[in-house]
Each structure stands twice: as C-alpha cells, then as structure tokens.
Amino acid sequence: RRRARSWRLHPARTELALAAQRARCDKGPVTLERELTQDEVAASYRERRDRFAAERDVLASRSRQISSARLATFLAAAAAFGYALFASSGPRGLAALGGAALLALFVALVIAHERVIRAFERASGLALLNQAGLHRLARAWPELPRPSSPPLAPGSEAEALAVDLNLFGEAGLFHLAATAVTPCGKQALAAWLLAPAPPATIRERQGAVAELAPRLAHRQELEVRARLMADLPPDPEPFLRWAEGAPWLRARALRRWAPRLLALAGAALVAAHATGLTPYPLWLIVVGVNLIFDSLLGKRPRALFAEISSHEREYRSYAELLRLAGELPASDPLLARLRTTLAAGDGAAGGWPRSLRRGSSRGGDAVRAFRRLDRLLALADMHRAGLFHFPLEALLLWDFHVLDLLEGWQAREGRQVRRWLELLGELEALGALAGLKHDHPDWCFPAQDAGDAPRLRARGLGHPLLPPARCVRNDVEVGPPGSFLLVTGSNMSGKSTLLRALGVNAILAGAGGPVCAASLSLPPLCLGTSFTIQDSLADGVSYFMAELRRLKIVVELATRARASGQVLLFLLDEILLGTNIAERQIAVREVVAHLLEREAIGAISSHDLTLASAEGIAQACRAVHFREHYRELDGKTEMGFDYLLREGIAPTTNALTLLRMVGIEPRSHES
C-alpha cells in the first residue's frame, strides 16, 4: 500500500518540479528541483509492466471463456432453429423463439468479445512498452525494436552527420527515442534531429517536452494505439494524393446529375407501379438505362473505392489517435496550440479557425472528419457484396451517389488531412523527446546563449547513448571564436566519445529536447563533423581525397552558418591521416585557419602531440587530454581508463603496451 501510494504521488511531484524548471527556462541552465532517481524510473516501468501483464492474462482467460460461450450459443441456436424447422410435433414456436433469443445472445457475445480482444491488445501492448522502457534504461539494444532509417541522399551533409554521430543506426539516437511510430511521427523526429530549430522554437518545444515528460500514461496510450497500426501500409501518400487531388465526378456536371435524376425517376416509377398508378413496370426502362450508364462509366468509381478503402483501417486508427491527442490536458502554449489546431481544421485560408469561432477546444473536427469518412467507406463497400449491390446499382446507380458524398468530404476536409497528420507527427516527436526526459531525470534542458563571444559550456556532459551506470561525465567548454579544443590521449581513452557526446547533445539541444548534462549553454549552432571516412575503389577516391571532400563540406558549412547568424560547431576526429606527418600538419593548420576565420568553434582529436606546438595552431588551441592507468595482475599488465578530462597535452601513450597485450613484443630500434 505504501508503494502504491508513493506512485500515485510521484507524477504530481514530477509535475511541480518540471513546472518550476519551465518557469526558469529562459534564465540559463537549470535542473529539476526534485529529481527522480534512475531506480524510481525503473520501478515505475516494472510496476506498470507487471500490472498490464496481469490484466492481459485476465483478459486472455476471459476471451477464451467468451469464445467457448459463443460456440455453445451458436450451436444451441442452430439446434433450436433446426427443431423449429424440421420437427413434426412439439413446441416448435417456443423453439423458434428460443433460437431467436440465443441468436441475439450470440450477437451480444460477439460484440463483447471484440471489446475484450481490443482491451487484451491494449494491455499486451502496454506491458511490452513498459518492458521496452526497462530495456532503454539498460541500453539493451538487441531487445528494442529498431526503427527504419529515413532516406538520406548519399554524400549529403545530413548523411555525413547521421553516420558520424550514429543518429539512425543500431544503438543510435533514433533507436533510443523510438517511441514515434506513425510515418509522420518518424519523419518529424528525424527532421528535428537533422536540422536545428530557431531559438524561439527550441524554447517552445522544451516547454512542451517538460509538460509531457511526467505524463507517462498518456504518452503510452498514444504509442500503443499507434503501434497497433504497425501492420498497416506505412505510407499515407496514396491517400493524401486522393484527398488533395481534383474531384472526378464533381468536375463533370452531366455525370453527377444524371444519376440523381435517374434515381428519382426509378424510385417514382417503382412507387407508381407498386400502388397501381401504372399497369406496366416502366421502371425497367430506367434499370436498362442505369445498366448502360454503369457499364460505360462505373469502373472509375469502383476503382476509386478500392484505392481509398485499402487504407480504411488507417483512417480508423488515425481517428483514435487524433481523439487521444485532442483529450490531452495541456497548459503549455505549444501543446494547447497543437490541440486547438486539430480541433479547428485549416485556419490558414483566412479568418479565425472554426473551433475558435464555436468556442471548441477539443480535437473534434479531425476526429469527426475521419469517422465520417469511415461511414462513407462502409457505404462504398457495398460494391463488394454482389447480391445486394446489383439491385441498388441497377435501380439507383448507388456507386455514383456514394462517390459524390466522398468527393464532398474530399472538398471539405481533404486539404486539411496532411496538416492533421503532420501535427500528430509533431506530437509524437515531442512525446519521444519527453520520453528521454522521463527516463533520464538528471538530464537538463539547455539554455540558448547568443552572446558576443559564443561558446558551448557544459557541466557534467556525458554521451546519451551510453548506459547511465557507465556514463562518465565531464565539464567541457568549446569556444569562443578564434579558438578550438585539441583533445589528445592514448587509444581507447575517450577522445572520440567526447567529440560524439558534444555532437549528439548539440543535436538534442537543436531539436528542443533534453541533453545528457547537468547544465549546458550554447549559441544557435549547426554541426559539421568528420569521423567515419571511407575510400572508394569504384569511384577511384583515396582515403585522403575522401577526407578532403568531407572537410570541404565542413568549411562550406562554416561560411553558410556565419551568413545566417549561426555558429558552426566542428568536430574533427583524427583528420587527414591519409598523408605524411609533415604535410599533414600543414593541411590541418590550413583547415583550422579556414574554420576560425569564419568564427566557427569546435574540437579536434589527435594522437599527434606536436600539433599543440605547431605554428598557427598553438595560439588558437586549448589542449585537454585523457589518460590511462596500469596495474600488474598475475604477471600480466592490465590497462584501464577513468575517462576523466584533464587540462594539457596527454603525457602518456599506449600503442606499444597494446602491442604487448596482444602478444607481439616490440623489437628494439636503438641505433
């Protein structure tokens, strides 16, 4: 009881702490007043996992019971009707009445069974989501579903950034934040990670993320509903092309009005013949005309029905997602605006949105639009029921009237659907960033610092993709313009990890999310990196030329950033290894000079300790280093690292020690 009571209080404490943080968001780096511990977050996931797993098991048992009752009721109803039809004597009427009652009970059981199945799917999904939350905390990557990577142009700046910082690969940032499920949600999150937002947008997103972070239950309801769509076609573009396209029937007045007039004439002639006003079945003439009309023009409506109906389950799922989005209680301005826009429809055409004119604040219009489309598609599905469809088409030209209704929906709602789905995607992306904040209460929201001497200052900076228990934090400062950080150290000591930590946290900061740091302030940044370089035998490109091409991209980014009022953060890991030491120093000096002239800030890692004293570099660099330590155990030398950043040039190297550790004793090279 004490534990249950503590978890009921837990969200409220979190809400107050996050509200206090949002209130100070513009004043600098902040942390929570009362931070949750990692153990509390894990305990929350375990409690929810166990609760929903127990609920799932109860519903599974209930489903089996109802399934057995359905079968028994159906057989009993069939037996009762059989007795009523074929018995030669006895209470046949009573048997028929009993059969009807059993049939009604069977229908009720079918409806109840559908509800139990939906509840079972929800409980199963929520149990899996909370287990996935535990896997995320432990960085158990193989246990987490890997989302598909967005398409990136080969050789583009986005692809270089994604590869260097592992944004979309296995054990990457997108993998960690993989709670955005719908195509629009994945696209929104990927776009935010690849392109930093303006400072005002970043502050808006931070407020929304802070409010969503403690709302674990609501975020998981949205996610589990979206995951139930996983087996549906992933691309909504075919439907959007129809929704935003030109109508076929309404653009042709004759084809639109002829079915109406023929339907009226047919109905009137049937009524006249049925009441004896006309002795002949003149309505058969209308039937003949309708059949000719349908044979000439009816293929197009049915082809459109088939195209739209193929996404029918998507519409129902999106309607449920939009309903949940509209019910989100939100005091944050961005979340409130998203919710209002979903309720309002398209306000871009001028004037106030419809929901504001009506005083509505719920996500009703989008939901009602999708539900109306679902009802219209149920009418369109009649063309699949040949026994019922033929008389309706022959007498009324049914398909043309349904298509007219669908095109009416297309005209009213079609051009709003893409915006609705984009807003839903934005909400999913905000939820994914909020999940990072919920799972890592010691992460902070960064402050935007656009001072005269822009620099990145971090206290307790770590790599977001490392397990929290193994993540070593360091205080780092990069900048101001005219200077750069030179990171030295032995192999495996943490140089590349520090550069990647700077890059990935800058990515999160530009997306409006939390960062793996106790505090972080930075100017409006764009990123240029050079980590993972590959030569190309097919293209005849050497390793050195591939490096130069990547560095050319970084230098061009610095020029564009300066022109747009941003600062380039360059992160270069062991650059220009494909040439000799003498020319390498000259080349590195030229690259650094080009970047510093463009007021970029950044960090370079290198094993070449002489760079710190090289002409043109010594004046601009601030040297920091990592080091290793050794111990003897059972006659063997063991090497370890503390991954703590220290000032100055690395005093040690370990290449020869590593050579001995793999069994190769270096020969003496004394002259």
Side-chain angles (χ1 to χ4, degrees):
R1 285 196 299 271
R2 284 194 301 270
R3 184 173 65 179
R5 191 161 54 248
S6 71
W7 285 117
R8 284 197 296 271
L9 293 173
H10 183 74
R13 293 200 306 268
T14 311
E15 193 91 34
L16 290 173
L18 290 171
Q21 175 167 323
R22 288 196 303 273
R24 304 193 311 277
C25 190
D26 296 331
K27 298 181 181 179
V30 292
T31 55
L32 292 175
E33 292 287 349
R34 192 281 186 196
E35 294 179 349
L36 307 179
T37 67
Q38 207 75 43
D39 289 341
E40 287 176 318
V41 173
S44 174
Y45 278 128
R46 281 193 293 270
E47 185 272 335
R48 288 176 61 82
R49 177 200 61 192
D50 296 343
R51 173 157 50 91
F52 287 116
E55 183 179 334
R56 174 199 62 202
D57 295 341
V58 169
L59 290 167
S61 175
R62 188 177 302 168
S63 177
R64 289 191 295 269
Q65 293 171 356
I66 295 177
S67 182
S68 300
R70 281 177 56 178
L71 178 60
T73 304
F74 179 80
L75 293 176
F81 282 124
Y83 181 86
L85 289 173
F86 301 110
S88 57
S89 61
R92 296 171 59 190
L94 185 60
L97 185 62
L102 287 169
L103 186 61
L105 178 59
F106 174 78
V107 172
L109 286 172
V110 170
I111 296 172
H113 199 195
E114 287 296 321
R115 292 176 179 172
V116 169
I117 290 173
R118 288 197 296 271
F120 170 81
E121 290 176 342
R122 172 184 172 273
S124 299
L126 287 170
L128 290 174
L129 288 185
N130 285 281
Q131 181 60 55
L134 292 171
H135 291 321
R136 279 197 304 273
L137 292 179
R139 303 300 191 264
W141 304 110
E143 306 299 328
L144 292 171
R146 179 178 173 180
S148 56
S149 301
L152 300 174
S156 64
E157 298 167 6
E159 186 200 38
L161 192 66
V163 171
D164 284 347
L165 300 180
N166 193 18
L167 298 184
F168 301 108
E170 177 75 22
L173 185 58
F174 203 64
H175 198 177
L176 181 64
T179 58
V181 180
T182 69
C184 295
K186 293 178 182 178
Q187 291 169 9
L189 182 58
W192 291 4
L193 296 179
L194 290 171
T201 303
I202 290 174
R203 286 192 292 271
E204 276 191 329
R205 291 178 186 170
Q206 287 177 348
V209 169
E211 179 157 340
L212 284 174
R215 299 184 185 276
L216 178 62
H218 198 284
R219 287 190 287 105
Q220 287 192 342
E221 287 293 343
L222 277 171
E223 185 181 354
V224 76
R225 177 61 56 182
R227 288 198 180 278
L228 292 176
M229 300 169 59
D231 59 337
L232 299 177
D235 185 10
E237 280 302 320
F239 166 65
L240 292 174
R241 281 196 295 271
W242 169 79
E244 297 169 348
W248 176 78
L249 186 63
R250 293 196 166 202
R252 296 162 174 82
L254 177 62
R255 298 179 187 183
R256 184 184 182 193
W257 284 97
R260 295 182 178 183
L261 297 175
L262 288 169
L264 288 174
L269 290 174
V270 166
H273 185 240
T275 56
L277 294 178
T278 58
Y280 305 107
L282 299 178
W283 53 271
L284 290 176
I285 300 174
V286 176
V287 168
V289 174
N290 286 349
L291 292 176
I292 295 172
F293 191 92
D294 182 72
S295 65
L296 294 175
L297 302 173
K299 291 182 180 178
R300 182 62 184 271
R302 286 187 283 278
L304 288 171
F305 293 164
E307 179 183 348
I308 304 168
S309 298
S310 64
H311 300 272
E312 185 173 353
R313 285 181 61 199
E314 286 182 75
Y315 312 147
R316 293 174 181 170
S317 298
Y318 277 125
E320 183 65 17
L321 287 173
L322 291 166
R323 182 189 66 79
L324 290 171
E327 291 176 353
L328 177 67
S331 58
D332 175 77
L334 176 58
L335 293 177
R337 189 164 67 248
L338 287 174
R339 188 180 60 182
T340 301
T341 308
L342 286 173
D346 186 6
W352 290 96
R354 293 198 304 267
S355 67
L356 296 183
R357 292 198 299 265
R358 290 196 303 267
S360 171
S361 63
R362 309 281 290 200
D365 280 10
V367 177
R368 282 196 294 270
F370 273 95
R371 288 180 175 169
R372 174 170 168 74
L373 177 63
D374 187 49
R375 290 193 294 270
L376 292 176
L377 288 174
L379 299 178
D381 281 345
M382 286 295 294
H383 78 276
R384 298 174 180 173
L387 184 63
F388 298 100
H389 176 258
F390 179 77
L392 289 173
E393 189 68 14
L395 188 62
L396 301 174
L397 290 173
W398 174 267
D399 290 348
F400 290 87
H401 302 302
V402 175
L403 180 60
D404 194 19
L405 293 173
L406 279 171
E407 290 189 351
W409 186 95
Q410 179 188 24
R412 288 190 303 274
E413 317 288 0
R415 295 192 177 277
Q416 304 181 64
V417 175
R418 185 181 296 274
R419 182 58 181 153
W420 286 336
L421 297 188
E422 287 175 351
L423 292 175
L424 185 61
E426 289 182 30
L427 184 59
E428 276 195 281
L430 290 170
L433 298 176
L436 294 178
K437 180 58 186 168
H438 170 270
D439 291 353
H440 308 90
D442 56 338
W443 290 15
C444 76
F445 287 107
Q448 295 291 311
D449 180 11
D452 295 333
R455 65 185 74 199
L456 183 152
R457 294 188 182 94
R459 182 170 59 84
L461 183 81
H463 197 303
L465 302 181
L466 290 174
R470 288 173 35 213
C471 181
V472 178
R473 309 287 192 93
N474 285 288
D475 297 345
V476 188
E477 182 171 329
V478 182
S483 67
F484 72 97
L485 202 65
L486 179 62
V487 187
T488 60
S490 56
N491 295 287
M492 304 189 301
S493 61
K495 302 187 301 299
S496 299
T497 300
L498 175 67
L499 266 60
R500 286 188 167 91
L502 287 166
V504 176
N505 281 297
I507 290 284
L508 284 171
V515 295
C516 181
S519 66
L520 176 67
S521 64
L522 70 172
L525 290 176
C526 67
L527 267 174
T529 60
S530 179
F531 283 79
T532 307
I533 305 297
Q534 291 182 338
D535 56 3
S536 174
L537 184 63
D539 296 335
V541 176
S542 69
Y543 186 89
F544 183 66
M545 179 55 72
E547 281 191 292
L548 290 178
R549 288 182 176 179
R550 177 68 67 83
L551 292 173
K552 180 176 182 290
I553 292 176
V554 175
V555 172
E556 290 173 349
L557 275 172
T559 303
R560 294 205 303 270
R562 185 181 182 184
S564 62
Q566 290 182 309
V567 175
L568 174 73
L569 174 64
F570 61 87
L571 302 169
L572 311 178
D573 185 35
E574 295 289 351
I575 61 170
L576 300 175
L577 290 176
T579 189
N580 60 79
I581 294 177
E583 290 187 317
R584 180 188 181 201
Q585 283 197 355
I586 297 173
V588 170
R589 191 161 60 241
E590 290 300 320
V591 169
V592 171
H594 274 78
L595 293 172
L596 297 183
E597 285 171 3
R598 288 156 180 78
E599 299 183 348
I601 62 175
I604 299 176
S605 71
S606 178
H607 285 286
D608 186 358
L609 304 183
T610 63
L611 282 177
S613 57
E615 183 182 353
I617 292 182
Q619 297 81 359
C621 81
R622 183 168 69 87
V624 293
H625 73 275
F626 294 96
R627 66 177 60 167
E628 73 281 0
H629 58 266
Y630 303 94
R631 68 172 182 169
E632 295 294 329
L633 185 64
D634 298 330
K636 295 182 178 180
T637 301
E638 287 193 352
M639 181 169 51
F641 306 93
D642 58 16
Y643 305 111
L644 295 176
L645 193 63
R646 297 171 172 87
E647 293 291 332
I649 293 294
T652 60
T653 59
N654 66 357
L656 297 182
T657 303
L658 290 173
L659 200 63
R660 295 187 185 97
M661 290 177 66
V662 298
I664 302 175
E665 187 65 31
R667 301 178 184 180
S668 174
H669 291 278
E670 295 179 3
S671 56

